[in-house]
Amino acid sequence: AQSVTQLDSQVPVFEEAPVELRCNYSSSVSVYLFWYVQYPNQGLQLLLKYLSGSTLVKGINGFEAEFNKSQTSFHLRKPSVHISDTAEYFCAVNCYRDNDMRFGAGTRLTVKP
Amino acid sequence: DAGVTQSPTHLIKTRGQQVTLRCSPKSGHDTVSWYQQALGQGPQFIFQYYEEEERQRGNFPDRFSGHQFPNYSSELNVNALLLGDSALYLCASSVGPPGVSGNTIYFGEGSWLTVV
């Protein structure tokens, strides 16, 4: 079965600084990869997803992620963060023909002024 | 266009009781999945319904059951509640099962269940 590891539970960063949230996955079959954001007391909102094709995926709010098959990673990046980006970020993997989407434990991004 | 809607938003139950949570999928979506998110953790897959049948189930006991109606809405039932069932229960919908082609799943805002 597939699994996801988010390498940092908390990432503090200053406003306008770049940020990278790390995600590694394990699977023996083809996967679809996702990043979701969860603001306090809300559900999850899709930031971006990788299905196939170009390994660099652009999402909403200026976020992007790069799929690296050899390193089984799907790190999320943003060149300049805002206070409003403070939230919990979840990496998720879905194997082909498997409807059980597996989520990581989450990374709490805190943007400080 | 209404997204995924869930009810109730918050509820408190006593150990041993039963609870029913409800979900209406996003317009045009026919597949509903349920997730449990404990405090400080990522969501965990409970089960998925498509064409009114449970298509796949995660590692949850039989106390967790569900149903999908002809209008694609869904219910999650939990019997014999335990303290450990306290969590945010998220409903998600998609057009077809997500494992087929990476269909995006859209989440509701969840139902907070507290078991005392």
Side-chain angles (χ1 to χ4, degrees), chain A residues 36 38 49 97-100, chain B residues 37 45 48 56 99 104-105:
Chain A
Y36 282 85
Q38 186 175 36
K49 64 179 180 180
R97 293 205 174 274
D98 184 350
N99 300 313
D100 179 355
Chain B
Q37 186 179 16
F45 176 75
Q48 182 184 82
Q56 189 164 342
T104 299
I105 61 172

Side-chain angles (χ1 to χ4, degrees), chain A residues 32 34 36 38 41-44 46 49 51 90 94-101 103-106, chain B residues 35 37 40-43 45 48 56 88 90 97-105 107-109 112:
Chain A
Y32 306 118
F34 305 80
Y36 282 85
Q38 186 175 36
N41 300 315
Q42 294 187 24
L44 280 72
L46 180 69
K49 64 179 180 180
L51 303 183
F90 292 96
N94 211 148
C95 287
Y96 179 65
R97 293 205 174 274
D98 184 350
N99 300 313
D100 179 355
M101 182 177 281
F103 286 81
Chain B
Y35 290 79
Q37 186 179 16
Q41 297 182 25
F45 176 75
Q48 182 184 82
Q56 189 164 342
L88 176 66
L90 293 164
V100 174
S101 56
N103 293 329
T104 299
I105 61 172
F107 285 85
E109 297 200 350
W112 282 100

